[in-house]
Every structure is written in structure tokens, then in C-alpha cells.
Amino acid sequence: MNQIIFVAFFLQICFAFDFNKYNALDKIEKYLAIFNRNQGTVKSKVEIIGKTFEERSIYMVKMFTKRKTRCGSCKGKSKKAILVDGGMHARDFISHAFVLYFLNFLKTTQAGFYLVKKFDWYLIPVLNPDGYEYANNFERLWRKNRNPFNETCIGTDLNRNYGMQWDPENGGSRNPCNEFYSGPFRFSELESQAERKLMLKKAFIGYLSIQSFGQLWIYPWGFTKDPVPDKSTLDKCAKAAAAAATTRHGVVYNSRQTSERSTLGGLSSDYAKAAGIRFPYEVLLRDKGTFGHLLPEDQIIATCEETTDAVIAWVNCVCAEMM
Ligand SMILES: [Zn+2]
């Protein structure tokens, strides 16, 4: 019986959704609805964590196992959770694509099941749906959300808007027309507010903000060149992830502290660290600038495969370091 349900679920996904392309928002939302039926070994539930300026819903998919046991091989009194977001920046199309691929991986594969046994997963495939819809239909390289400052200047860079050392003078901008506009104040935006609420509500052990591009795993701090107290641990797990990604297809990934080249204020990964999430990262997917944000669709699957390998290696490292 279980197998029949599994196959039925798999077929539904196969017919309904094409992982080889960058899907429009309506297709993505239809696909996400499948995860609310809660069938199969890996349980899943869809929640709306907030609304945007244009009144779109921000969806989150929760993945968990039926029994609330301690996580597989990870030690700890209770099962911990991991938060993953995609599409913070509208134009990072490979980021949305990866989170959707990874949802399917968690739900339908044995390796995915092991990851869900270790941790509960909270995944936000499209954190900035207004921006994604706009980028898809009008301006492919749009980065910000769509909250207007005035008639001509629209949008805030969400990854400058979080409340840890929010500072437009530090890698952001006070100019609402600028691509890196930090917003009028910390957490001024509905999208960053929605994620903050989630970060504070749940005791997450890890956070991955999936972005592009650069083939890079980076970790706090970003706002200062100073290291976090547990830098060596964060670095170790970033290195493990980057090495695993590189092994898959020979495409080289690296890792470092976010601020190694220049400092940036108001980052989501810095806020996550300050909020008590021990293992927060920004993961920059392919490529290194050849196509940049316009990564061709024929590279989607390979990027998703190597990044899945990276996340598995990262989970194993986090588990080992939790002991
Ligand atoms: Zn980005």
C-alpha cells in the first residue's frame, strides 16, 4: 500500500512539474500544493508564513517524520530543525529551482528520508514572490522585492534589510532607487519580517539561504571582519559542503567567511547567527560569472545534484559537531 502511494505521488510530480526549467510562480504554487496531502513516509505540510506588498502568499513547506524521535545519528535531547530559503533575490532563478528539487529529493528518495530522520526541515522555496513574478515577466535581472518607496523607486534588497547590524553605509544603500537599498529601517519589509518570525519561533540548528552566483559557501560574520567565536566549526562544515559539491561534477565550490573581501550589514545569515542559529550559511550556486544570474536551464539539474550532495555532507558535519 505504501508503495502504491509512493508511486502515485512520484507520478503526480513527474507529470505536473518540470525540474529542468525555471518554472513560473503559478506552476510552483500548484506543485507545492502536492506537499500538503501528507502521504508517504516523509510527512509534509504547507503553511503561509506571510503576505507580500502585492498580497502574494509566502509559502513554507515543513518536512518531518511521523515519530518525533531523536534525530537519527545526531545527538541531542530533541529533534532539531533546519531552515532553508530560496529566492530572496528575485533574479537568482537557480535558487528557487534548487529548493524545489530538494523538496522532491527529501520526499521521494531514501537519502532524503535519512535527512528528514535527522532533522525537521522548513523550506521556503520563494521568499520574494513579488520580485520573482516581476523578474519572470518584465525585468529578468530584478533583485529586490516590489515594495514601492515612491513612484519611480521600487523595492528593497531583502539581504540588506535584516536586523543584525543593519547599516545602509555598510554594503547597502540609503537610495531607494539603488539595487542594494537597505530599506528605510531594519526589518522594514514583509518578507524579512516573515522569516524573522519563523527564526525566533523555532529553535533552528541550521539555516541555509540559497542564492546565486559564485559557487561559494559563506558564513557569519558579514558585517565585520571579526570572526564568530565558533568560526573554525562553521568553516569546517562549509569546507565539507564545498568539497562534496565539487566532487559531483568537478565544478569547484569554495568557502569562506562572508566578510573576507568586503563587509555587508543587514544580512539574513548574520541575523540568523545572532538569533541563536548555530550553523547559518549563505550558499551561492553556479556559476562564477560566465552566465551569472542567467544560468542556462541545461545546468539546473547538475547544479541541484551537486548542491544536494553538499547539503548531505553539511548535515553530517553539523550532526558530528552537535555531539
Ligand atoms: Zn542573491
Side-chain angles (χ1 to χ4, degrees):
M1 185 60 190
N2 253 346
Q3 258 175 346
I4 293 169
I5 289 172
F6 179 84
V7 169
F9 183 83
F10 190 70
L11 287 177
Q12 262 175 354
I13 288 171
C14 287
F15 287 123
F17 201 74
D18 186 356
F19 291 101
N20 286 288
K21 52 183 272 200
Y22 299 123
N23 290 278
L25 190 63
D26 60 333
K27 279 239 169 70
I28 292 174
E29 290 181 351
K30 251 181 227 153
Y31 172 63
L32 291 181
I34 294 174
F35 290 91
N36 214 15
R37 291 189 200 151
N38 210 18
Q39 49 196 207
T41 328
V42 170
K43 303 288 165 197
S44 56
K45 205 168 161 257
V46 181
E47 284 170 28
I48 293 170
I49 60 161
K51 292 272 180 186
T52 63
F53 174 77
E54 291 174 349
E55 295 183 348
R56 290 193 178 83
S57 298
I58 305 169
Y59 292 100
M60 181 194 71
V61 181
K62 187 185 169 192
M63 295 274 196
F64 52 103
T65 46
K66 206 169 167 188
R67 243 192 298 152
K68 290 208 168 195
T69 53
R70 292 202 306 196
C71 48
S73 62
C74 302
K75 296 277 185 273
K77 284 195 182 78
S78 60
K79 196 176 177 192
K80 301 273 197 263
I82 289 171
L83 177 62
V84 180
D85 69 47
M88 184 175 291
H89 291 141
R91 65 192 178 193
D92 300 355
F93 281 18
I94 186 62
S95 145
H96 313 82
F98 168 72
V99 179
L100 295 162
Y101 174 97
F102 191 64
L103 275 173
N104 182 53
F105 175 84
L106 290 178
K107 185 92 181 176
T108 63
T109 70
Q110 195 65 22
F113 173 60
Y114 283 121
L115 293 184
V116 184
K117 255 169 66 177
K118 286 187 164 82
F119 296 108
D120 291 337
W121 293 77
Y122 291 68
L123 304 112
I124 308 165
V126 188
L127 181 62
N128 174 15
D130 292 355
Y132 185 54
E133 188 69 355
Y134 182 76
N136 226 343
N137 294 324
F138 303 106
E139 206 179 320
R140 177 60 182 82
L141 290 178
W142 187 258
R143 172 180 171 95
K144 303 187 282 181
N145 71 359
R146 294 293 300 167
N147 183 16
F149 179 79
N150 56 35
E151 272 169 33
T152 48
C153 297
I154 292 169
T156 289
D157 182 348
L158 296 177
N159 207 23
R160 298 290 182 278
N161 189 245
Y162 285 68
M164 178 57 183
Q165 297 288 321
W166 178 86
D167 180 5
E169 312 295 332
N170 188 8
S173 174
R174 285 193 192 282
N175 174 6
C177 289
N178 191 286
E179 209 168 42
F180 304 101
Y181 178 49
S182 304
F185 49 88
R186 66 199 285 272
F187 284 122
S188 57
E189 304 309 300
L190 295 168
E191 297 85 352
S192 52
Q193 286 170 20
E195 192 167 57
R196 169 181 63 175
K197 224 162 72 187
L198 200 62
M199 284 179 177
L200 296 178
K201 197 171 87 182
K202 185 93 198 150
F204 291 106
I205 185 83
Y207 168 62
L208 301 176
S209 184
I210 309 293
Q211 306 206 15
S212 74
F213 54 90
Q215 294 165 207
L216 201 54
W217 279 63
I218 52 179
Y219 51 84
W221 299 119
F223 78 89
T224 172
K225 298 253 181 193
D226 291 346
V228 287
D230 58 345
K231 172 172 177 169
S232 63
T233 309
L234 292 193
D235 189 63
K236 193 173 162 183
C237 293
K239 277 204 174 78
T246 303
T247 301
R248 183 66 179 245
H249 295 295
V251 172
V252 178
Y253 281 71
N254 288 298
S255 57
R256 59 171 167 83
Q257 182 173 332
T258 308
S259 59
E260 204 175 283
R261 278 174 211 161
S262 55
T263 58
L264 300 167
L267 300 178
S268 69
S269 47
D270 273 10
Y271 180 77
K273 188 64 177 166
I277 302 178
R278 269 180 70 194
F279 296 89
Y281 296 83
E282 201 174 294
V283 183
L284 303 170
L285 306 184
R286 288 194 197 183
D287 55 12
K288 293 193 93 159
T290 308
F291 297 102
H293 297 291
L294 302 175
L295 189 74
E297 291 183 322
D298 63 13
Q299 291 195 39
I300 294 175
I301 296 295
T303 305
C304 291
E305 286 170 350
E306 70 206 10
T307 306
T308 299
D309 283 2
V311 173
I312 293 169
W314 174 76
V315 161
N316 290 335
C317 180
V318 169
C319 279
E321 293 300 327
M322 277 167 64
M323 288 189 183

